[in-house]
Amino acid sequence: MSTRRWRPAGVSEERLSRPRVREAFRSARLLVGCYVGLSALTLLAIILLRNHPDLVTDAVWVRATIVVVTSLLMASFAARAARGHRRSYLRLRWASGIMVVAIAAIIAVPGAFPLWLKMEQGVCGLLLAGVFVIVHGKQLRAAFAER
């Protein structure tokens, strides 16, 4: 007995194959990939510097772990959105905006995090701002518009 799994309608292959849409997703996925890589490298640096309490605080551990998890989620959203999944596209739009705001708050709060982490978060924020601009751009909005 074969069971069919219900799957919501996605975006047509015709819309996804447009050169500008493909290029937009390529750029967004590259930026998200850089975010994943930087987040993983930061966590590795924290592990290596764990015996330096002036550089690695409990707040740094928590923030870095959250960032790695969210970066992997965003990579999943970007990959699925590029395959035409509307909900993943919406999640990518929301997550990129929320993360940029969260990073701005991290940078703005005085004394909560060491300067090196704020600088790393600034780079992450720039990467995600690029994702935000791309996924809110005309090409992708048109591709995912309900018709």
Side-chain angles (χ1 to χ4, degrees):
M1 176 179 177
S2 66
T3 56
R4 292 183 86 182
R5 194 171 157 195
W6 181 81
R7 186 174 156 219
V11 174
S12 72
E13 186 61 38
E14 181 271 324
R15 286 190 198 177
L16 291 175
S17 64
R18 294 176 185 159
R20 290 185 179 181
V21 170
R22 284 195 328 246
E23 182 59 34
F25 271 124
R26 188 175 10 261
S27 297
R29 289 176 75 180
L30 175 65
L31 291 171
V32 171
C34 290
Y35 176 52
V36 170
L38 181 57
S39 301
L41 287 173
T42 300
L43 187 58
L44 177 63
I46 290 168
I47 292 167
L48 295 174
L49 296 171
R50 67 186 173 274
N51 294 324
H52 298 276
D54 55 324
L55 297 175
V56 179
T57 63
D58 289 342
V60 168
W61 277 103
V62 170
R63 178 65 189 162
T65 303
I66 290 169
V67 169
V68 169
V69 170
T70 60
S71 72
L72 294 172
L73 281 172
M74 288 191 67
S76 170
F77 299 158
R80 289 177 53 86
R83 291 192 305 266
H85 294 265
R86 289 182 196 280
R87 286 188 178 178
S88 292
Y89 170 68
L90 293 174
R91 288 176 182 136
L92 184 61
R93 286 180 66 172
W94 277 96
S96 62
I98 290 168
M99 289 304 298
V100 168
V101 170
I103 288 169
I106 294 295
I107 293 170
V109 174
F113 296 96
L115 179 61
W116 72 268
L117 185 72
K118 289 184 178 193
M119 291 171 49
E120 180 268 348
Q121 287 290 281
V123 173
C124 287
L126 291 174
L127 293 170
L128 293 178
V131 173
F132 181 86
V133 168
I134 292 167
V135 298
H136 284 83
K138 179 181 176 182
Q139 298 302 324
L140 293 185
R141 281 187 294 118
F144 282 88
E146 296 279 344
R147 291 188 194 193

